[in-house]
Amino acid sequence: MNAPITRRDFLGSTLLASGAILLRSTTPADILGAKDEFTGYGGIGEYSTSNGNTLDILRAGHSIRDGTYDPLPKNVIDTGETYDCVIVGGGISGLAAALFFRRQGGPSAKCLVLENHPIFGGEAKQNEFLVDGKHLIAHQGSAIYQLQYPNSFLARFYDSIGLKTPKLTYQKWAGPQPEMPLSRTPYEAAGLEHGQYGFWFGARFDQRPGLWLIDPLGKNLRGAPISEKTRAEWLRYLKGETLLRSKFEHPKVEGDASSRYLDSITLEQHYMDRFGLSRDTVRTFLSPIEGGGSGLGPDALSAYSDYAYEMLHPLADEKDGTDQMFPGGNTTIARLMVKSLIPAAMPGPDSVEGVTGNNVDISMLDVSGAPARIRLSSTVLSVEHDGEPTRANSLAIAYLKEGKVYRVKARSAVMAGGSWTTKHIVKGLPETHRKAYAQFHRSPCMMANVAVRNWRFLYKMGITGCRWFEGTGNYMDVRKLALTSIEDPGIGPDSPIVLTLKVLYSYPGYSTEEQGHRGRAEMLGTSFAEYERRIREQFTAMFAHAGFDAQRDISGIILNRWGHAYLNPQPGFFFGNNGRPAPREILRNAPFGRIAFANTDLAGAMDHRYSILEAQRAVGQLLDQVLEA
Ligand SMILES: Cc1cc2nc3c(=O)[nH]c(=O)nc-3n(C[C@H](O)[C@H](O)[C@H](O)COP(=O)(O)OP(=O)(O)OC[C@H]3O[C@@H](n4cnc5c(N)ncnc54)[C@H](O)[C@@H]3O)c2cc1C
């Protein structure tokens, strides 16, 4: 932890190496070529070789898509192992499936989790930096969780894995400067209501250099370089003032008339109807920010996607909100699950402090004879019944590890890896299921974590967060961190922090599926060095006037690229079209022989709570197969 930060050396070498690539236009094939121009600096600590989907992960994943191992080669190595359940994917859903299986499958039930990354967690992983001797942590993807009603299923689940005090305590203001309100999560924008937030307008609005509007709400957007009509529309939206003529009934229960109506239109149409926005206003100022929880802009999404999360009914709003966040986001929840599943793999007490303060003992994750095992860096290539699916007693599961293909046997399997690989690797998938999965579209996201030595430049501008509408990313916020394994209980403008840019790829006007393809081509076709350059330039354009110097102030940048980050529910995804069942219901309600389906994408809402609930359902569907045999 005290090793000097290596990123400057890295930066020097990647910039040199990338010179050639910047001189010509790049394609994904160039970037994915022999030399790794893609992955970039991974930070320090346990997650340093697992920043999003690295080049190795991509290559293995694309070998599934391209059918490289279909049919399987003749030299598959049979491990001779048989498990009661094999779980594909070691994200929150896969880990939850393993836990439910161990708890419900009887004392002798054995399960194996196969996960393609070098560490478990899926989208719930973290980055770590060492900045001027301070250890900083930030999330790679999955960030927040909500307080639940204390006797709800989810609250009891949290409790069972050692999350005994879900309401966290956060850093307090420190230092001589007058205090500013800070957010606890990347999505809170605490400064907006307090006049300590900024909107930045650049070349897209003919502003060279860019123009800042500080306190956009307090100023009613006056001074923004936009027409009076746009100003009135956007302000109505920002202030939540709906049109009087707009009749709207908030969905109360999933599947009620209001939710079904919302699922028949786009989110864009919904905003236009409710707030009187023009399509152009939605696409310029709300896209992709307001569809961000579903990965694309409102034009590509079912209007119900905005409400699907609420149907989990967290604890009714407390004064200071129900959203909570560990410094590394839901990484801590994944670690708590592993601690419950394989206690020896996570030394120390069975608590948040235990799992955040100690390293994983990787050697204990996959121990011969153990009732639960997690095998990392293992990409599952195929899951196939041994014989006719309705009568087969077992499955053959092949996976790729360090260039070799292995096979294990299982009496059941939970597919928790997500739609984009499941549809390829389950062999003989019935047409109903194939057609259902064909309606699952996922789009990419890049989470750029930018470690800065201090945030005096923001403080000087009188802001703690901001939004912009062109270039890389759309918003960022200074966060006060939960006091779990955090060295510094105080935060002020002199503190080193990590600013997180969530980069989404929306192409308004194209179909939901096409936007995903285009986004992936863009994200995969851009080298680490090029993104680093763009981020430094973006920060310079926005903050140099306030004393920001990219060379001096940025200590490190980690890119976490998720090729299939978000499920993007198009209209009809949730409740079906023209009397046909919704695709998610087919997969939820009908296991295929000994194979059941999990992952948060089956809910149509990307949320770790759904990852857990889908896992619980999937395991329940398989128990009879395993217990009676
Ligand atoms: C940028 C971003 C921000 C988010 N923020 C939040 C948030 O704040 N709060 C929240 O609750 N949710 C958030 N989410 C949603 C997130 O999806 C869930 O919280 C949760 O982490 C998903 O867990 P999962 O297990 O369902 O899927 P994943 O995390 O995707 O896990 C699936 C795992 O299976 C692996 N896998 C896939 N195919 C194979 C294969 N063939 N072989 C082996 N392994 C395979 C994948 O690589 C992955 O590691 C966010 C998502 C993203 C992308």
Side-chain angles (χ1 to χ4, degrees):
M1 213 158 89
N2 294 323
I5 191 158
T6 53
R7 180 239 164 218
R8 289 209 174 276
D9 297 336
F10 180 82
L11 176 64
S13 62
T14 50
L15 282 181
L16 284 175
S18 68
I21 234 165
L22 295 182
L23 290 176
R24 58 190 163 83
S25 66
T26 50
T27 65
D30 287 332
I31 298 295
L32 299 179
K35 196 166 180 335
D36 187 355
E37 312 261 3
F38 178 84
T39 306
Y41 178 59
I44 61 166
E46 295 183 285
Y47 294 83
S48 61
T49 57
S50 192
N51 48 314
N53 292 331
T54 57
L55 187 57
D56 288 346
I57 297 293
L58 272 178
R59 284 188 175 141
H62 287 176
S63 75
I64 300 175
R65 181 200 61 189
D66 301 338
T68 312
Y69 296 96
D70 193 6
L72 290 169
K74 297 232 166 2
N75 59 349
V76 175
I77 302 163
D78 196 331
T79 68
E81 297 162 306
T82 301
Y83 294 91
D84 295 300
C85 187
V86 163
I87 294 139
V88 179
I92 287 190
S93 199
L95 295 173
L99 266 177
F100 290 126
F101 191 78
R102 284 287 305 132
R103 288 172 182 177
Q104 295 166 34
S108 59
K110 284 195 167 52
C111 66
L112 170 71
V113 177
L114 291 167
E115 161 61 29
N116 58 345
H117 288 84
I119 189 158
F120 53 79
E123 288 167 349
K125 292 207 277 280
Q126 66 188 30
N127 296 140
E128 296 170 46
F129 297 89
L130 191 68
V131 180
D132 299 335
K134 297 241 179 212
H135 181 214
L136 304 185
I137 304 177
H139 57 297
Q140 289 193 17
S142 188
I144 60 177
Y145 68 95
Q146 285 80 19
L147 300 174
Q148 303 295 321
Y149 283 95
N151 291 307
S152 63
F153 173 78
L154 283 164
R156 280 185 282 118
F157 181 80
Y158 287 155
D159 191 72
S160 78
I161 58 170
L163 181 48
K164 304 277 178 201
T165 319
K167 188 165 184 181
L168 305 176
T169 311
Y170 295 83
Q171 289 174 313
K172 296 256 180 309
W173 187 264
Q177 300 93 339
E179 181 168 352
M180 289 172 107
L182 295 179
S183 301
R184 290 170 303 189
T185 78
Y187 307 121
E188 209 174 315
L192 191 57
E193 298 292 330
H194 294 89
Q196 290 164 345
Y197 201 84
F199 283 179
W200 186 80
F201 303 88
R204 184 178 186 187
F205 303 91
D206 290 327
Q207 302 301 310
R208 294 182 186 84
L211 179 145
W212 275 102
L213 180 63
I214 308 290
D215 188 15
L217 277 189
K219 291 186 181 142
N220 288 329
L221 291 175
R222 289 200 192 288
I226 53 178
S227 72
E228 196 50 34
K229 174 177 169 291
T230 306
R231 191 182 73 79
E233 285 181 16
W234 189 16
L235 194 60
R236 230 175 8 244
Y237 177 80
L238 287 170
K239 295 200 163 177
E241 291 163 1
T242 53
L243 292 182
L244 285 178
R245 63 178 159 79
S246 121
K247 278 206 200 110
F248 172 66
E249 209 177 307
H250 207 99
K252 293 185 187 60
V253 179
E254 194 170 85
D256 63 11
S258 171
S259 34
R260 283 171 193 276
Y261 168 68
L262 287 165
D263 191 37
S264 73
I265 59 171
T266 63
L267 187 55
E268 178 172 84
Q269 190 62 50
H270 180 51
Y271 289 153
M272 288 164 63
D273 294 346
R274 274 204 92 195
F275 298 98
L277 306 184
S278 70
R279 206 173 291 283
D280 193 49
T281 297
V282 176
R283 294 184 180 189
T284 307
F285 298 106
L286 274 56
S287 181
I289 301 168
E290 299 301 344
S294 298
L296 289 176
D299 68 298
L301 304 172
S302 157
Y304 184 70
S305 60
D306 231 15
Y307 301 88
Y309 299 86
E310 295 175 13
M311 295 303 121
L312 286 171
H313 302 293
L315 196 59
D317 237 3
E318 299 205 326
K319 198 168 104 316
D320 54 355
T322 74
D323 289 353
Q324 304 290 316
M325 181 174 168
F326 292 108
N330 291 330
T331 309
T332 302
I333 293 184
R335 291 173 77 93
L336 283 166
M337 286 164 133
V338 170
K339 173 76 178 169
S340 294
L341 192 62
I342 310 176
M346 196 78 77
D350 193 4
S351 63
V352 167
E353 290 66 33
V355 303
T356 52
N358 293 294
N359 280 350
V360 182
D361 183 348
I362 298 274
S363 71
M364 297 307 292
L365 286 177
D366 190 8
V367 173
S368 176
R373 300 170 68 169
I374 300 175
R375 195 160 295 166
L376 299 171
S377 302
S378 302
T379 303
V380 176
L381 303 170
S382 71
V383 178
E384 188 164 16
H385 286 94
D386 291 322
E388 209 281 311
T390 52
R391 285 195 293 270
N393 289 323
S394 62
L395 299 157
I397 292 155
Y399 63 92
L400 181 69
K401 188 174 172 70
E402 291 161 4
K404 294 191 179 129
V405 180
Y406 297 86
R407 181 166 44 222
V408 297
K409 208 169 168 169
R411 293 164 69 200
S412 67
V414 174
M415 305 302 300
S419 51
W420 80 102
T421 60
T422 302
K423 67 183 178 191
H424 294 295
I425 62 186
V426 178
K427 301 301 168 194
L429 201 57
E431 200 186 344
T432 43
H433 291 52
R434 275 195 289 112
K435 282 190 170 159
Y437 265 138
Q439 295 174 65
F440 280 60
H441 306 302
R442 291 186 67 144
S443 64
C445 170
M446 184 176 77
M447 297 287 273
N449 275 324
V450 183
V452 290
R453 297 189 190 285
N454 61 71
W455 52 281
R456 283 178 218 130
F457 57 99
L458 295 175
Y459 191 83
K460 190 169 166 196
M461 291 169 64
I463 60 176
T464 56
C466 55
R467 224 180 240 202
W468 58 97
F469 311 95
E470 61 195 77
T472 305
N474 296 99
Y475 57 91
M476 64 186 194
D477 225 358
V478 178
R479 306 188 284 277
K480 55 181 173 186
L481 303 179
L483 298 174
T484 53
S485 292
I486 284 299
E487 291 161 4
D488 216 334
I491 179 170
D494 299 330
S495 309
I497 58 164
V498 180
L499 292 164
T500 302
L501 272 58
K502 177 164 162 175
V503 183
L504 296 171
Y505 301 82
S506 68
Y507 298 82
Y510 287 95
S511 72
T512 310
E513 183 177 15
E514 179 63 17
Q515 293 196 36
H517 293 322
R518 285 175 178 252
R520 264 185 296 282
E522 183 181 338
M523 190 185 76
L524 299 185
T526 309
S527 68
F528 174 83
E530 171 62 9
Y531 270 129
E532 186 177 48
R533 185 186 65 74
R534 287 184 197 170
I535 291 168
R536 289 156 67 95
E537 284 182 6
Q538 181 103 33
F539 273 47
T540 301
M542 294 198 299
F543 307 122
H545 74 285
F548 173 81
D549 175 343
Q551 187 65 26
R552 181 194 62 210
D553 294 334
I554 295 184
S555 167
I557 295 177
I558 302 179
L559 303 182
N560 304 287
R561 310 196 205 206
W562 304 104
H564 305 264
Y566 283 103
L567 185 278
N568 325 123
Q570 67 279 20
F573 180 88
F574 291 97
F575 305 109
N577 271 327
N578 306 324
R580 287 193 294 271
R584 60 182 187 152
E585 292 312 335
I586 293 170
L587 295 156
R588 281 167 151 179
N589 293 337
F592 167 44
R594 293 179 167 262
I595 304 169
F597 305 92
N599 190 284
T600 185
D601 63 7
L602 285 195
M606 302 295 288
D607 189 305
H608 77 287
R609 293 169 297 175
Y610 281 121
S611 304
I612 295 166
L613 294 169
E614 298 296 340
Q616 184 210 21
R617 185 231 349 109
V619 167
Q621 288 170 324
L622 294 174
L623 285 176
D624 277 332
Q625 311 256 24
V626 177
L627 292 180
E628 78 183 9

